[in-house]
Amino acid sequence: MSLSGFIVRNWRLKIAAFVLAVLLWVTMRLSDDRVSRLSLPNVEVRVEQVHRDWYLRQAPFPSTVEMSVSGPIGELLRVAMSQPAIVVRVDSVLKEDSVLTLIPDWVSNVDRSSVTIENFAPSSVRLLFERNKEEEIPVSVRLIGALPDSLAMVNEPRANLLFARVRGAASSVDALETVFLEPFDLGSVTGPGRFEVPVDTAGLDGLVVSPTTATLTVDASTRTTRSLLSLIELAGAGDDLALEPAAVTVTLFGAEERLGAVDSAAVQVLVNVDPEELRRQLEEDAAVRVPLTLSGLPRWVGGTLGVDSVTVRGSGTP
């Protein structure tokens, strides 16, 4: 019989016999009480607790070590499969740059009644600390979107939280100028009210902020309009330049309380064009069309112009 024929013949029986042999070997090894030694590379070192006055600036260095364990081989295999870790809890800090010697008591996921943790390589880790600091930081409101067309703002939206207590690494706290609330969408407002808005903690690098929410008061009312006639101003123009028309209708819109307080004299319709440039153009053309801009409107009051441009002529031009 050829070698290939011998292998193929009764192959199921041969595989079953091989598997049984492996199981018997593993069972015998697991029941072996002789002491063996196992080295586990890349055992994680992590710090789970630090004294409240201090902040851990970065992960331990090194972040993994090699750990040597001795005991019955069955127990060693269980240790290898349990993914042990070295968990450090720092109850006190003597200096910012500290070196800690690793001890077996810090190893987790290992039954130390059945195995012995012999040593670590390296035997110590370096930890860099920074003192914690607590300070009151101003809170800023962020608004996005716009009110529905039927509403207008009466007053600036305001939060009941002017300052927030921030605690964390001193360097991070000192660099923080303000704490923002999460953006509030004015488009979601259907009328005056108070809204709970969370503090935006994204990007605060582990800083602890208290409180974590603020109440935002939005004072809105029905939008109304008001019209007025305003003279058009051309800064630096003399009697030699004439505007057609010389005045334009301005339609203001906003809350009634806001519109009633608008100073008509402060609302300006301007021609933002250099008069000398106009004069040069008028030497070639009888008339020049120029755009208008609206200025002088108070906060939360909008406005539109009856026309967006006017004609400028020389005063002597027919």
Side-chain angles (χ1 to χ4, degrees), residues 141-193:
V141 176
R142 286 185 294 178
L143 303 175
I144 59 174
L147 289 173
D149 292 340
S150 60
L151 295 176
M153 200 69 72
V154 177
N155 295 300
E156 189 80 18
R158 57 197 181 278
N160 67 332
L161 185 62
L162 300 180
F163 293 88
R165 293 189 304 277
V166 179
R167 179 178 177 81
S171 59
S172 298
V173 174
D174 290 339
L176 195 62
E177 296 181 355
T178 188
V179 174
F180 288 102
L181 299 182
E182 290 190 1
F184 180 78
D185 186 3
L186 292 175
S188 64
V189 175
T190 58

Side-chain angles (χ1 to χ4, degrees), residues 16-316:
F18 175 76
V19 171
L20 180 60
V22 171
L23 289 175
L24 289 173
W25 181 84
V26 170
T27 302
M28 292 176 62
R29 295 291 290 172
L30 291 177
S31 61
D32 191 348
D33 291 333
R34 289 177 298 176
V35 174
S36 299
R37 190 171 183 272
L38 176 67
S39 293
L40 299 175
N42 302 321
V43 176
E44 180 188 9
V45 180
R46 63 175 182 264
V47 177
E48 289 191 348
Q49 179 181 313
V50 179
H51 189 277
R52 67 183 307 274
D53 291 339
W54 295 88
Y55 168 79
L56 185 64
R57 289 168 52 188
Q58 61 188 47
F61 179 80
S63 59
T64 62
V65 298
E66 181 178 298
M67 182 174 72
S68 296
V69 185
S70 61
I73 190 168
E75 297 298 331
L76 295 182
L77 291 176
R78 291 187 181 92
V79 170
M81 296 175 62
S82 66
Q83 296 182 331
I86 302 172
V87 180
V88 182
R89 294 175 175 84
V90 183
D91 296 325
S92 63
V93 177
L94 300 180
K95 57 182 180 178
E96 294 183 351
D97 191 346
S98 300
V99 176
L100 296 185
T101 300
L102 301 177
I103 61 177
D105 288 346
W106 293 344
V107 178
S108 65
N109 298 334
V110 173
D111 182 4
R112 294 180 52 221
S113 65
S114 56
V115 297
T116 300
I117 299 173
E118 295 187 346
N119 55 58
F120 305 98
S123 61
S124 61
V125 293
R126 182 184 182 190
L127 302 178
L128 297 179
F129 298 98
E130 184 177 349
R131 279 201 175 274
N132 273 330
K133 181 178 183 180
E134 185 172 303
E135 190 170 318
E136 288 194 338
I137 305 294
V139 174
S140 298
V141 176
R142 286 185 294 178
L143 303 175
I144 59 174
L147 289 173
D149 292 340
S150 60
L151 295 176
M153 200 69 72
V154 177
N155 295 300
E156 189 80 18
R158 57 197 181 278
N160 67 332
L161 185 62
L162 300 180
F163 293 88
R165 293 189 304 277
V166 179
R167 179 178 177 81
S171 59
S172 298
V173 174
D174 290 339
L176 195 62
E177 296 181 355
T178 188
V179 174
F180 288 102
L181 299 182
E182 290 190 1
F184 180 78
D185 186 3
L186 292 175
S188 64
V189 175
T190 58
R194 297 180 178 180
F195 307 88
E196 292 299 312
V197 182
V199 173
D200 189 355
T201 57
L204 291 186
D205 297 327
L207 297 178
V208 178
V209 182
S210 177
T212 57
T213 61
T215 300
L216 182 68
T217 299
V218 178
D219 189 4
S221 66
T222 302
R223 171 172 154 167
T224 60
T225 61
R226 172 188 169 190
S227 296
L228 56 88
L229 188 65
S230 179
L231 292 175
I232 301 172
E233 299 181 28
L234 176 56
D239 296 336
D240 59 329
L241 297 178
L243 300 175
E244 298 177 2
V248 65
T249 299
V250 179
T251 300
L252 304 178
F253 52 87
E256 184 175 353
E257 299 91 327
R258 283 284 177 177
L259 294 183
V262 172
D263 181 4
S264 301
V267 179
Q268 296 179 304
V269 181
L270 306 175
V271 176
N272 289 324
V273 179
D274 182 7
E276 294 304 319
E277 178 63 27
L278 280 176
R279 292 185 178 95
R280 285 193 291 270
Q281 294 184 40
L282 289 172
E283 291 177 359
E284 301 178 3
D285 303 307
V288 177
R289 196 75 177 172
V290 293
L292 300 176
T293 59
L294 180 61
S295 68
L297 298 181
R299 177 73 163 156
W300 303 117
V301 173
T304 58
L305 298 172
V307 294
D308 60 1
S309 62
V310 294
T311 300
V312 180
R313 299 179 186 273
S315 58

